[in-house]
Amino acid sequence: MTNAQRLAALATTRKQREFDHDFLASWEGCITWEDAPIGQPAVLPGEFVVEEEDVLAYNRALGETDPLFIDPGYAREHAPGGKILVHPVFVTAIAFWMTRPGNALSWIKTPGARNPFQHVRVRERIAVGDRLTVIHENSDRFVRRGKPYITAHIVLRDQRGVEKVEFWGTLILPPARDDVRRFATA
Amino acid sequence: MATSPSLPFLDDLQTGVMLPELTYKVTQDLVDAYGMASLDLNPVHMDPAWCERARVFGTPLPVAHGMMSMSFMASAIYRAWGALADIARVESKFTKPCPIGTTVTVRAMVRDTHPLGSGNGYVTLTVEAIDQANEVIGVSEIDVRLPRLPGAKP
């Protein structure tokens, strides 16, 4: 069994089943640090519809214990809006779902990348049922202690046009395509 | 039946107070579950055989997602104050890789309170995630909007 097959067997939600389980298959579609466009905010194609099963999977993976996170029946009675509540770092799933090979955010799937720091600002909590539009730009690219860093600035707007979350995601990338290839083919 | 913990009032919080610790063991099952839920299937987390060959962090073992550590640092607040805690900001830095087998303890401390008017008060917590060697793997600053005591001075 390949690792991708192993991961496919773990999928429990529609998005997880439809997602490409072979992370390395699309490595050539990852934009590199030196080629990533900086600035140029743009709406990523499509939208992220927040399904209850997506949120449950996230909350359960973290072992959350509050029934407002993990029990839809309890949440119907007691949660604002009657739906289970969303964890602020759920934005990770949104970023990965919206990333496509070749787009300006594709570097988040770079083999060999490292995660140094992250910043999420929640204006209004994301809710089950939200249809989120993702506005993205690469806001910075810098070298620190000889390592190449890149930062994405992501804004999530709901179906009313309300800005709900701002997210600055930073990674240290392998410096050039040959370095990425070395990890992708390891 | 489990119930949701009660939110504290901002005015009742003292700076320097520690929240109850949250401890978890980093297993491949946990990392797999988090990876699937977050759709971050990077082999550095999800593929033990690849990790042995690539050794991105120098270790042959898969390492936990930084975003998972960040999530657990926020979760320490939810475990103490419940899911209604209105987290407004999470800013995290990851200082040490966290390979499979690590036991992580999350410690959150009320650093300062911001009793602003018009219901805009919030608290800032400093949160550390520490491994079994007592070394810091991640630190966060987290802001949580909290209600004021009825009748509190605006």
Side-chain angles (χ1 to χ4, degrees):
Chain A
M1 182 190 276
T2 65
N3 195 60
Q5 289 166 330
R6 183 183 78 82
L7 296 179
L10 298 175
T12 59
T13 69
R14 180 186 63 79
K15 289 189 184 76
Q16 290 175 18
R17 283 188 291 274
E18 289 178 7
F19 203 68
D20 183 357
H21 301 110
D22 187 351
F23 188 94
L24 299 174
S26 57
W27 75 269
E28 286 174 299
C30 294
I31 201 156
T32 59
W33 182 83
E34 56 195 3
D35 291 334
I38 304 300
Q40 306 170 28
V43 175
L44 295 183
E47 59 183 9
F48 186 100
V49 181
V50 183
E51 308 280 0
E52 181 182 88
E53 64 176 5
D54 305 330
V55 178
L56 276 174
Y58 198 88
N59 294 346
R60 286 177 176 156
L62 294 171
E64 291 299 347
T65 52
D66 189 321
L68 293 175
F69 272 138
I70 54 172
D71 182 343
Y74 183 89
R76 256 193 301 281
E77 298 285 321
H78 298 97
K83 293 170 180 167
I84 58 161
L85 298 177
V86 177
H87 192 289
V89 191
F90 180 73
V91 294
T92 311
I94 299 169
F96 275 95
W97 180 255
M98 298 301 287
T99 299
R100 295 288 179 272
N103 78 10
L105 185 58
S106 57
W107 52 265
I108 72 168
K109 291 184 72 177
T110 304
R114 303 173 187 215
N115 184 352
F117 43 80
Q118 304 289 325
H119 180 181
V120 177
R121 201 169 269 278
V122 181
R123 312 265 179 226
E124 184 181 309
R125 205 166 190 166
I126 291 169
V128 170
D130 278 354
R131 308 180 75 87
L132 298 170
T133 300
V134 180
I135 301 111
H136 160 259
E137 68 172 319
N138 296 321
S139 58
D140 199 3
R141 172 172 55 200
F142 55 100
V143 176
R144 182 176 291 173
R145 291 187 292 275
K147 293 176 185 155
Y149 290 66
I150 185 165
T151 300
H153 176 224
I154 290 170
V155 175
L156 304 179
R157 283 205 191 117
D158 73 5
Q159 59 279 9
R160 301 166 295 161
V162 170
E163 185 177 308
K164 301 201 96 172
V165 173
E166 247 184 312
F167 174 30
W168 292 264
T170 301
L171 291 180
I172 304 171
L173 296 184
R177 174 118 2 233
D178 280 349
D179 304 294
V180 178
R181 179 182 290 108
R182 187 167 60 80
F183 286 113
T185 58
Chain B
M1 184 175 71
T3 56
S4 185
S6 300
L7 267 180
F9 289 108
L10 178 65
D11 307 86
D12 286 339
L13 289 176
Q14 301 290 320
T15 57
V17 163
M18 302 293 297
L19 273 51
E21 290 182 356
L22 168 63
T23 299
Y24 62 96
K25 177 94 184 254
V26 178
T27 63
Q28 190 63 58
D29 282 349
L30 173 63
V31 170
D32 284 347
Y34 183 80
M36 289 305 294
S38 66
L39 300 174
D40 181 352
L41 305 183
N42 192 318
V44 76
H45 316 296
M46 308 294 281
D47 187 342
W50 183 87
C51 288
E52 225 175 298
R53 298 190 299 270
R55 302 196 180 213
V56 175
F57 292 98
T59 170
L61 296 171
V63 299
H65 303 72
M67 304 311 282
M68 187 174 93
S69 304
M70 184 177 189
S71 296
F72 273 112
M73 286 191 268
S75 289
I77 293 162
Y78 290 132
R79 302 293 164 88
W81 294 346
L84 290 174
D86 187 9
I87 291 181
R89 175 178 69 102
V90 186
E91 210 163 339
S92 301
K93 184 176 173 186
F94 311 108
T95 50
K96 184 185 174 190
C98 188
I100 299 297
T102 305
T103 298
V104 180
T105 301
V106 179
R107 296 182 184 140
M109 183 190 74
V110 175
R111 194 190 70 191
D112 38 56
T113 58
H114 301 258
L116 311 180
S118 312
N120 291 323
Y122 69 97
V123 59
T124 301
L125 297 105
T126 303
V127 187
E128 286 187 335
I130 296 158
D131 68 11
Q132 66 270 24
N134 214 26
E135 293 182 359
V136 176
I137 63 157
V139 291
S140 295
E141 269 188 22
I142 300 179
D143 293 341
V144 185
R145 290 180 280 252
L146 285 176
R148 303 291 310 276
L149 263 176
K153 206 172 164 185

PDB file of all heavy atoms in Angstrom, chain B residues 43-70:
ATOM      1  N   PRO B  43       4.385  15.231   3.561  1.00  0.00           N
ATOM      2  CA  PRO B  43       4.976  13.970   4.037  1.00  0.00           C
ATOM      3  C   PRO B  43       5.877  14.151   5.256  1.00  0.00           C
ATOM      4  O   PRO B  43       6.147  13.176   5.951  1.00  0.00           O
ATOM      5  CB  PRO B  43       5.759  13.460   2.829  1.00  0.00           C
ATOM      6  CG  PRO B  43       5.973  14.648   1.960  1.00  0.00           C
ATOM      7  CD  PRO B  43       4.794  15.536   2.184  1.00  0.00           C
ATOM      8  N   VAL B  44       6.310  15.370   5.513  1.00  0.00           N
ATOM      9  CA  VAL B  44       7.137  15.583   6.707  1.00  0.00           C
ATOM     10  C   VAL B  44       6.331  15.268   7.978  1.00  0.00           C
ATOM     11  O   VAL B  44       6.905  15.018   9.036  1.00  0.00           O
ATOM     12  CB  VAL B  44       7.715  17.014   6.730  1.00  0.00           C
ATOM     13  CG1 VAL B  44       6.659  18.028   7.137  1.00  0.00           C
ATOM     14  CG2 VAL B  44       8.939  17.103   7.616  1.00  0.00           C
ATOM     15  N   HIS B  45       5.010  15.259   7.826  1.00  0.00           N
ATOM     16  CA  HIS B  45       4.127  14.880   8.935  1.00  0.00           C
ATOM     17  C   HIS B  45       3.499  13.497   8.720  1.00  0.00           C
ATOM     18  O   HIS B  45       3.244  12.784   9.684  1.00  0.00           O
ATOM     19  CB  HIS B  45       2.966  15.866   9.076  1.00  0.00           C
ATOM     20  CG  HIS B  45       3.347  17.303   8.963  1.00  0.00           C
ATOM     21  ND1 HIS B  45       4.183  17.930   9.865  1.00  0.00           N
ATOM     22  CD2 HIS B  45       3.004  18.260   8.056  1.00  0.00           C
ATOM     23  CE1 HIS B  45       4.334  19.198   9.507  1.00  0.00           C
ATOM     24  NE2 HIS B  45       3.638  19.416   8.419  1.00  0.00           N
ATOM     25  N   MET B  46       3.230  13.179   7.450  1.00  0.00           N
ATOM     26  CA  MET B  46       2.269  12.107   7.150  1.00  0.00           C
ATOM     27  C   MET B  46       2.887  10.854   6.538  1.00  0.00           C
ATOM     28  O   MET B  46       2.166   9.907   6.274  1.00  0.00           O
ATOM     29  CB  MET B  46       1.218  12.652   6.162  1.00  0.00           C
ATOM     30  CG  MET B  46       0.544  13.942   6.584  1.00  0.00           C
ATOM     31  SD  MET B  46      -0.471  13.788   8.047  1.00  0.00           S
ATOM     32  CE  MET B  46      -1.953  13.049   7.380  1.00  0.00           C
ATOM     33  N   ASP B  47       4.186  10.865   6.262  1.00  0.00           N
ATOM     34  CA  ASP B  47       4.785   9.722   5.562  1.00  0.00           C
ATOM     35  C   ASP B  47       6.081   9.297   6.259  1.00  0.00           C
ATOM     36  O   ASP B  47       7.165   9.816   5.970  1.00  0.00           O
ATOM     37  CB  ASP B  47       5.053  10.119   4.098  1.00  0.00           C
ATOM     38  CG  ASP B  47       5.508   8.941   3.252  1.00  0.00           C
ATOM     39  OD1 ASP B  47       5.946   7.917   3.827  1.00  0.00           O
ATOM     40  OD2 ASP B  47       5.449   9.054   2.012  1.00  0.00           O
ATOM     41  N   PRO B  48       5.975   8.322   7.184  1.00  0.00           N
ATOM     42  CA  PRO B  48       7.159   7.918   7.963  1.00  0.00           C
ATOM     43  C   PRO B  48       8.332   7.442   7.086  1.00  0.00           C
ATOM     44  O   PRO B  48       9.498   7.752   7.392  1.00  0.00           O
ATOM     45  CB  PRO B  48       6.628   6.780   8.841  1.00  0.00           C
ATOM     46  CG  PRO B  48       5.161   7.063   8.973  1.00  0.00           C
ATOM     47  CD  PRO B  48       4.754   7.668   7.659  1.00  0.00           C
ATOM     48  N   ALA B  49       8.049   6.730   6.003  1.00  0.00           N
ATOM     49  CA  ALA B  49       9.141   6.219   5.166  1.00  0.00           C
ATOM     50  C   ALA B  49       9.881   7.370   4.487  1.00  0.00           C
ATOM     51  O   ALA B  49      11.120   7.387   4.398  1.00  0.00           O
ATOM     52  CB  ALA B  49       8.587   5.244   4.127  1.00  0.00           C
ATOM     53  N   TRP B  50       9.133   8.340   4.003  1.00  0.00           N
ATOM     54  CA  TRP B  50       9.741   9.518   3.353  1.00  0.00           C
ATOM     55  C   TRP B  50      10.580  10.305   4.362  1.00  0.00           C
ATOM     56  O   TRP B  50      11.671  10.778   4.046  1.00  0.00           O
ATOM     57  CB  TRP B  50       8.634  10.397   2.765  1.00  0.00           C
ATOM     58  CG  TRP B  50       9.133  11.597   2.016  1.00  0.00           C
ATOM     59  CD1 TRP B  50       9.484  11.655   0.698  1.00  0.00           C
ATOM     60  CD2 TRP B  50       9.352  12.914   2.542  1.00  0.00           C
ATOM     61  NE1 TRP B  50       9.898  12.926   0.375  1.00  0.00           N
ATOM     62  CE2 TRP B  50       9.824  13.717   1.491  1.00  0.00           C
ATOM     63  CE3 TRP B  50       9.183  13.490   3.798  1.00  0.00           C
ATOM     64  CZ2 TRP B  50      10.139  15.067   1.654  1.00  0.00           C
ATOM     65  CZ3 TRP B  50       9.497  14.837   3.967  1.00  0.00           C
ATOM     66  CH2 TRP B  50       9.966  15.604   2.902  1.00  0.00           C
ATOM     67  N   CYS B  51      10.079  10.434   5.570  1.00  0.00           N
ATOM     68  CA  CYS B  51      10.814  11.190   6.606  1.00  0.00           C
ATOM     69  C   CYS B  51      12.170  10.555   6.880  1.00  0.00           C
ATOM     70  O   CYS B  51      13.159  11.274   7.102  1.00  0.00           O
ATOM     71  CB  CYS B  51      10.006  11.245   7.898  1.00  0.00           C
ATOM     72  SG  CYS B  51       8.580  12.324   7.780  1.00  0.00           S
ATOM     73  N   GLU B  52      12.189   9.235   6.863  1.00  0.00           N
ATOM     74  CA  GLU B  52      13.456   8.546   7.117  1.00  0.00           C
ATOM     75  C   GLU B  52      14.487   8.892   6.045  1.00  0.00           C
ATOM     76  O   GLU B  52      15.667   9.044   6.333  1.00  0.00           O
ATOM     77  CB  GLU B  52      13.201   7.034   7.119  1.00  0.00           C
ATOM     78  CG  GLU B  52      13.882   6.333   8.257  1.00  0.00           C
ATOM     79  CD  GLU B  52      13.514   4.863   8.309  1.00  0.00           C
ATOM     80  OE1 GLU B  52      12.326   4.564   8.495  1.00  0.00           O
ATOM     81  OE2 GLU B  52      14.432   4.033   8.161  1.00  0.00           O
ATOM     82  N   ARG B  53      13.996   9.075   4.803  1.00  0.00           N
ATOM     83  CA  ARG B  53      14.910   9.411   3.710  1.00  0.00           C
ATOM     84  C   ARG B  53      15.229  10.910   3.671  1.00  0.00           C
ATOM     85  O   ARG B  53      16.385  11.300   3.492  1.00  0.00           O
ATOM     86  CB  ARG B  53      14.288   8.989   2.363  1.00  0.00           C
ATOM     87  CG  ARG B  53      14.030   7.505   2.226  1.00  0.00           C
ATOM     88  CD  ARG B  53      13.638   7.129   0.794  1.00  0.00           C
ATOM     89  NE  ARG B  53      12.421   7.773   0.329  1.00  0.00           N
ATOM     90  CZ  ARG B  53      11.200   7.268   0.478  1.00  0.00           C
ATOM     91  NH1 ARG B  53      11.023   6.110   1.100  1.00  0.00           N
ATOM     92  NH2 ARG B  53      10.146   7.900   0.019  1.00  0.00           N
ATOM     93  N   ALA B  54      14.244  11.749   3.857  1.00  0.00           N
ATOM     94  CA  ALA B  54      14.427  13.190   3.611  1.00  0.00           C
ATOM     95  C   ALA B  54      15.026  13.938   4.803  1.00  0.00           C
ATOM     96  O   ALA B  54      15.789  14.882   4.622  1.00  0.00           O
ATOM     97  CB  ALA B  54      13.086  13.826   3.234  1.00  0.00           C
ATOM     98  N   ARG B  55      14.673  13.542   6.009  1.00  0.00           N
ATOM     99  CA  ARG B  55      15.207  14.148   7.249  1.00  0.00           C
ATOM    100  C   ARG B  55      15.223  15.682   7.183  1.00  0.00           C
ATOM    101  O   ARG B  55      16.284  16.316   7.384  1.00  0.00           O
ATOM    102  CB  ARG B  55      16.602  13.610   7.540  1.00  0.00           C
ATOM    103  CG  ARG B  55      16.585  12.098   7.667  1.00  0.00           C
ATOM    104  CD  ARG B  55      17.809  11.528   8.312  1.00  0.00           C
ATOM    105  NE  ARG B  55      17.654  10.063   8.363  1.00  0.00           N
ATOM    106  CZ  ARG B  55      18.128   9.283   9.316  1.00  0.00           C
ATOM    107  NH1 ARG B  55      18.814   9.807  10.309  1.00  0.00           N
ATOM    108  NH2 ARG B  55      17.932   7.987   9.289  1.00  0.00           N
ATOM    109  N   VAL B  56      14.077  16.237   6.924  1.00  0.00           N
ATOM    110  CA  VAL B  56      13.963  17.697   6.783  1.00  0.00           C
ATOM    111  C   VAL B  56      14.452  18.407   8.043  1.00  0.00           C
ATOM    112  O   VAL B  56      15.128  19.421   7.978  1.00  0.00           O
ATOM    113  CB  VAL B  56      12.499  18.095   6.472  1.00  0.00           C
ATOM    114  CG1 VAL B  56      12.338  19.611   6.447  1.00  0.00           C
ATOM    115  CG2 VAL B  56      12.051  17.486   5.152  1.00  0.00           C
ATOM    116  N   PHE B  57      14.111  17.851   9.200  1.00  0.00           N
ATOM    117  CA  PHE B  57      14.508  18.480  10.467  1.00  0.00           C
ATOM    118  C   PHE B  57      15.663  17.728  11.125  1.00  0.00           C
ATOM    119  O   PHE B  57      15.913  17.902  12.317  1.00  0.00           O
ATOM    120  CB  PHE B  57      13.305  18.542  11.418  1.00  0.00           C
ATOM    121  CG  PHE B  57      12.230  19.473  10.959  1.00  0.00           C
ATOM    122  CD1 PHE B  57      11.115  18.999  10.277  1.00  0.00           C
ATOM    123  CD2 PHE B  57      12.336  20.841  11.173  1.00  0.00           C
ATOM    124  CE1 PHE B  57      10.126  19.859   9.842  1.00  0.00           C
ATOM    125  CE2 PHE B  57      11.357  21.709  10.746  1.00  0.00           C
ATOM    126  CZ  PHE B  57      10.247  21.222  10.071  1.00  0.00           C
ATOM    127  N   GLY B  58      16.329  16.874  10.358  1.00  0.00           N
ATOM    128  CA  GLY B  58      17.447  16.124  10.912  1.00  0.00           C
ATOM    129  C   GLY B  58      17.026  14.835  11.603  1.00  0.00           C
ATOM    130  O   GLY B  58      17.853  13.988  11.899  1.00  0.00           O
ATOM    131  N   THR B  59      15.716  14.697  11.854  1.00  0.00           N
ATOM    132  CA  THR B  59      15.225  13.479  12.510  1.00  0.00           C
ATOM    133  C   THR B  59      14.634  12.538  11.455  1.00  0.00           C
ATOM    134  O   THR B  59      14.075  13.008  10.457  1.00  0.00           O
ATOM    135  CB  THR B  59      14.146  13.817  13.571  1.00  0.00           C
ATOM    136  OG1 THR B  59      13.536  12.594  14.002  1.00  0.00           O
ATOM    137  CG2 THR B  59      13.083  14.738  13.037  1.00  0.00           C
ATOM    138  N   PRO B  60      14.748  11.212  11.673  1.00  0.00           N
ATOM    139  CA  PRO B  60      14.106  10.281  10.728  1.00  0.00           C
ATOM    140  C   PRO B  60      12.603  10.142  10.984  1.00  0.00           C
ATOM    141  O   PRO B  60      11.923   9.430  10.236  1.00  0.00           O
ATOM    142  CB  PRO B  60      14.825   8.958  11.024  1.00  0.00           C
ATOM    143  CG  PRO B  60      15.258   9.050  12.448  1.00  0.00           C
ATOM    144  CD  PRO B  60      15.553  10.512  12.695  1.00  0.00           C
ATOM    145  N   LEU B  61      12.100  10.799  12.015  1.00  0.00           N
ATOM    146  CA  LEU B  61      10.687  10.639  12.386  1.00  0.00           C
ATOM    147  C   LEU B  61       9.824  11.760  11.807  1.00  0.00           C
ATOM    148  O   LEU B  61      10.293  12.893  11.657  1.00  0.00           O
ATOM    149  CB  LEU B  61      10.549  10.686  13.914  1.00  0.00           C
ATOM    150  CG  LEU B  61      11.238   9.568  14.690  1.00  0.00           C
ATOM    151  CD1 LEU B  61      11.202   9.866  16.184  1.00  0.00           C
ATOM    152  CD2 LEU B  61      10.582   8.233  14.390  1.00  0.00           C
ATOM    153  N   PRO B  62       8.558  11.459  11.525  1.00  0.00           N
ATOM    154  CA  PRO B  62       7.632  12.551  11.185  1.00  0.00           C
ATOM    155  C   PRO B  62       7.532  13.527  12.356  1.00  0.00           C
ATOM    156  O   PRO B  62       7.684  13.138  13.522  1.00  0.00           O
ATOM    157  CB  PRO B  62       6.295  11.828  10.970  1.00  0.00           C
ATOM    158  CG  PRO B  62       6.658  10.421  10.670  1.00  0.00           C
ATOM    159  CD  PRO B  62       7.907  10.135  11.462  1.00  0.00           C
ATOM    160  N   VAL B  63       7.272  14.774  12.034  1.00  0.00           N
ATOM    161  CA  VAL B  63       7.091  15.790  13.078  1.00  0.00           C
ATOM    162  C   VAL B  63       5.655  16.315  13.022  1.00  0.00           C
ATOM    163  O   VAL B  63       5.008  16.291  11.974  1.00  0.00           O
ATOM    164  CB  VAL B  63       8.090  16.963  12.928  1.00  0.00           C
ATOM    165  CG1 VAL B  63       9.526  16.474  13.036  1.00  0.00           C
ATOM    166  CG2 VAL B  63       7.863  17.709  11.634  1.00  0.00           C
ATOM    167  N   ALA B  64       5.198  16.774  14.163  1.00  0.00           N
ATOM    168  CA  ALA B  64       3.836  17.338  14.234  1.00  0.00           C
ATOM    169  C   ALA B  64       3.767  18.625  13.423  1.00  0.00           C
ATOM    170  O   ALA B  64       4.763  19.348  13.285  1.00  0.00           O
ATOM    171  CB  ALA B  64       3.464  17.609  15.688  1.00  0.00           C
ATOM    172  N   HIS B  65       2.577  18.907  12.912  1.00  0.00           N
ATOM    173  CA  HIS B  65       2.340  20.173  12.221  1.00  0.00           C
ATOM    174  C   HIS B  65       2.517  21.333  13.209  1.00  0.00           C
ATOM    175  O   HIS B  65       1.980  21.283  14.332  1.00  0.00           O
ATOM    176  CB  HIS B  65       0.908  20.239  11.705  1.00  0.00           C
ATOM    177  CG  HIS B  65       0.502  19.133  10.791  1.00  0.00           C
ATOM    178  ND1 HIS B  65       0.272  17.836  11.209  1.00  0.00           N
ATOM    179  CD2 HIS B  65       0.257  19.137   9.458  1.00  0.00           C
ATOM    180  CE1 HIS B  65      -0.098  17.105  10.181  1.00  0.00           C
ATOM    181  NE2 HIS B  65      -0.115  17.860   9.101  1.00  0.00           N
ATOM    182  N   GLY B  66       3.178  22.392  12.768  1.00  0.00           N
ATOM    183  CA  GLY B  66       3.205  23.606  13.585  1.00  0.00           C
ATOM    184  C   GLY B  66       1.785  24.093  13.854  1.00  0.00           C
ATOM    185  O   GLY B  66       1.468  24.569  14.949  1.00  0.00           O
ATOM    186  N   MET B  67       0.909  23.943  12.836  1.00  0.00           N
ATOM    187  CA  MET B  67      -0.464  24.407  13.003  1.00  0.00           C
ATOM    188  C   MET B  67      -1.206  23.581  14.060  1.00  0.00           C
ATOM    189  O   MET B  67      -2.157  24.063  14.673  1.00  0.00           O
ATOM    190  CB  MET B  67      -1.220  24.367  11.660  1.00  0.00           C
ATOM    191  CG  MET B  67      -0.558  25.157  10.538  1.00  0.00           C
ATOM    192  SD  MET B  67      -0.079  26.828  10.978  1.00  0.00           S
ATOM    193  CE  MET B  67      -1.648  27.675  10.897  1.00  0.00           C
ATOM    194  N   MET B  68      -0.771  22.329  14.233  1.00  0.00           N
ATOM    195  CA  MET B  68      -1.374  21.511  15.292  1.00  0.00           C
ATOM    196  C   MET B  68      -0.944  22.044  16.658  1.00  0.00           C
ATOM    197  O   MET B  68      -1.767  22.174  17.577  1.00  0.00           O
ATOM    198  CB  MET B  68      -0.985  20.043  15.140  1.00  0.00           C
ATOM    199  CG  MET B  68      -1.705  19.124  16.111  1.00  0.00           C
ATOM    200  SD  MET B  68      -1.365  17.380  15.812  1.00  0.00           S
ATOM    201  CE  MET B  68       0.025  17.124  16.917  1.00  0.00           C
ATOM    202  N   SER B  69       0.346  22.368  16.793  1.00  0.00           N
ATOM    203  CA  SER B  69       0.814  22.951  18.062  1.00  0.00           C
ATOM    204  C   SER B  69       0.069  24.257  18.331  1.00  0.00           C
ATOM    205  O   SER B  69      -0.352  24.531  19.464  1.00  0.00           O
ATOM    206  CB  SER B  69       2.321  23.219  17.999  1.00  0.00           C
ATOM    207  OG  SER B  69       3.026  22.044  17.686  1.00  0.00           O
ATOM    208  N   MET B  70      -0.082  25.058  17.287  1.00  0.00           N
ATOM    209  CA  MET B  70      -0.800  26.339  17.417  1.00  0.00           C
ATOM    210  C   MET B  70      -2.246  26.089  17.866  1.00  0.00           C
ATOM    211  O   MET B  70      -2.771  26.768  18.750  1.00  0.00           O
ATOM    212  CB  MET B  70      -0.773  27.052  16.069  1.00  0.00           C
ATOM    213  CG  MET B  70      -1.376  28.426  16.033  1.00  0.00           C
ATOM    214  SD  MET B  70      -1.152  29.093  14.346  1.00  0.00           S
ATOM    215  CE  MET B  70      -1.677  30.774  14.575  1.00  0.00           C
TER     216      MET B  70
END
